[in-house]
Amino acid sequence: MRKNRLGRGYVLVVMLLLVQLAVFAGTPEQVASKTGLDQDLFATLNVQVNGAKLGVFIVAVTERALHSKVSAKLMETLRPYVGRNVLYVNPTVEDVVSSFPFDPGGFRVSQDGVPDFVPIPADWVEISDGFLSGKFVMNPGGASYGSGSEGLLIMDGHIDITKPFTVSYAGQSATFAIKKAYVPPAPSTTGALASSPAQPPVDVPLPAQVTDLQDALMTGEFTAERMASLFSLPQELVQTLDITMRSSELRLLLVLLRDPVRDASFSNDLLTSINPLIGTGAVMVWAISPTGSAFTPWSFFIQQNGTNYVFFSDASFVELTPGFLRAKEVPAGQVVAGVIRLQKGVDSSVEFKVFYGTNSVTFNAQ
């Protein structure tokens, strides 16, 4: 039997701080703008229950959904369910209530060619405690945002969310038609779309240590200018992100691997490790946290000329510290490091952005 509880409390997607807009007032365009979700990934069902309006906000859990305005905590919760045909379900009411007659058993999911999927309790995972029994809690944004709960509907092999499907509840329904993610063209004369990984796998030796300047990274001003000076790098090859999430701080140092990196003041073993990747279209990443912080390399994506390039393959990353690929956190005072290998559709000689969640830096090294 599936474990049906992930934890206590209201995990909260950052986008749902504006939940009343999403559920009761906003157009799809407004909701997409506020939440960072593509319009094909979400739907809202508005239902009258005993004279009160219940809004049910539904999101298809895909890799693209994780690149919206999702809190690090919820991202960690949702990531294991990508690829399992999962729906995030958030029922909400405008008033602050401790419970509401919301029945997860009232859902039905239909799709051409397969029997309708009517979930049983074992098909649900509670995010907020009491989701299955109708327990609601006040939205952390305050009483003016109403109250609700959160859960996951695990459909696995019953429904394929890459094909159109319809979700129904209490006489209301919404149809999802999720678009395929962008796949860069393969280098061939036919112009066919590539189905292989964005980059062929590559192995490099793990350096004994990432940097001798770890303490300098933890304290003091964390800017691209200071980091470039510390490592004797051209400033246009260096970018930094300093992300504060509640009581934690995550520092990301990003270095575009071009020829001048060979003369940087890195240790010899680190230079040996990254040498095969220099000039191939790659960005070295060091994740550092003075406090300890959630972190996963799968939250990175690339944007160039208005197109988002997301990562699907392990071959898109190279580890410089053990476990970088599957990292879920950066322990306090430690460095987690690896290399992002840019997709074949990205030209690293032209301006591009590296996003971590909703935060980004721009490289423009001609």
Side-chain angles (χ1 to χ4, degrees):
M1 182 175 177
R2 177 180 292 118
K3 183 180 179 181
N4 70 345
R5 182 165 294 154
L6 290 176
R8 297 183 181 277
Y10 202 45
V11 176
L12 181 65
V13 194
V14 171
M15 62 190 177
L16 294 180
L17 281 170
L18 295 163
V19 68
Q20 282 189 308
L21 168 67
V23 174
F24 299 116
T27 65
E29 293 77 13
Q30 288 173 317
V31 175
S33 175
K34 294 293 185 181
T35 65
L37 283 168
D38 294 330
Q39 291 185 42
D40 60 316
L41 295 181
F42 67 86
T44 301
L45 302 179
N46 290 317
V47 180
Q48 290 290 332
V49 180
N50 298 336
K53 183 183 289 186
L54 171 70
V56 184
F57 192 53
I58 304 169
V59 180
V61 179
T62 68
E63 189 70 34
R64 277 194 290 134
L66 299 189
H67 294 307
S68 63
K69 298 176 182 177
V70 176
S71 69
K73 177 63 177 176
L74 188 60
M75 186 183 297
E76 180 183 342
T77 297
L78 296 182
R79 181 165 293 284
Y81 295 97
V82 172
R84 291 187 57 188
N85 299 312
V86 174
L87 300 178
Y88 168 87
V89 177
N90 171 233
T92 304
V93 293
E94 294 176 292
D95 296 329
V96 175
V97 297
S98 60
S99 64
F100 194 84
F102 165 72
D103 177 19
F107 279 85
R108 180 183 296 267
V109 185
S110 58
Q111 188 169 57
D112 287 346
V114 299
D116 285 2
F117 176 55
V118 181
I120 61 176
D123 296 316
W124 290 93
V125 172
E126 290 188 330
I127 296 179
S128 57
D129 193 11
F131 172 85
L132 286 169
S133 59
K135 180 180 178 181
F136 277 27
V137 297
M138 185 174 71
N139 190 300
S144 62
Y145 291 97
S147 53
S149 61
E150 297 172 296
L152 298 175
L153 178 57
I154 315 298
M155 299 184 292
D156 282 328
H158 298 284
I159 298 292
D160 181 357
I161 67 172
T162 67
K163 301 175 182 178
F165 64 96
T166 299
V167 182
S168 302
Y169 179 77
Q172 301 296 313
S173 63
T175 297
F176 286 78
I178 297 175
K179 300 174 184 177
K180 291 184 179 180
Y182 175 84
V183 179
S188 67
T189 57
T190 64
L193 293 181
S195 59
S196 58
Q199 296 280 10
V202 62
D203 291 322
V204 302
L206 287 177
Q209 57 186 5
V210 172
T211 174
D212 295 326
L213 297 175
Q214 186 164 305
D215 289 342
L217 298 174
M218 299 293 176
T219 59
E221 189 178 20
F222 189 67
T223 63
E225 294 79 8
R226 179 169 178 257
M227 295 299 106
S229 176
L230 280 173
F231 296 111
S232 303
L233 284 165
Q235 189 170 315
E236 65 270 17
L237 300 184
V238 181
Q239 294 291 347
T240 58
L241 280 172
D242 197 344
I243 304 168
T244 300
M245 298 174 289
R246 296 184 180 178
S247 59
S248 66
E249 179 187 5
L250 176 64
R251 294 182 167 192
L252 298 175
L253 172 65
L254 300 98
V255 179
L256 181 59
L257 296 182
R258 293 281 188 83
D259 285 342
V261 172
R262 293 188 171 94
D263 297 320
S265 56
F266 297 139
S267 62
N268 289 333
D269 59 342
L270 176 58
L271 288 171
T272 299
S273 294
I274 63 176
N275 187 64
L277 300 166
I278 293 175
T280 65
V283 177
M284 181 168 61
V285 176
W286 296 347
I288 314 107
S289 178
T291 60
S293 174
F295 169 77
T296 171
W298 297 95
S299 290
F300 286 106
F301 69 97
I302 309 300
Q303 185 180 89
Q304 188 173 62
N305 296 328
T307 298
N308 293 338
Y309 299 80
V310 298
F311 295 105
F312 296 101
S313 169
D314 288 3
S316 297
F317 304 98
V318 176
E319 294 191 331
L320 295 177
T321 57
F324 173 82
L325 190 61
R326 304 300 176 206
K328 293 184 178 180
E329 64 176 353
V330 180
Q334 296 186 28
V335 175
V336 174
V339 175
I340 298 172
R341 306 177 69 202
L342 303 182
Q343 297 91 336
K344 291 179 180 178
V346 178
D347 183 354
S348 63
S349 66
V350 179
E351 180 177 299
F352 65 94
K353 291 184 177 182
V354 179
F355 277 80
Y356 183 81
T358 59
N359 302 276
S360 68
V361 295
T362 299
F363 284 100
N364 190 15
Q366 299 294 327

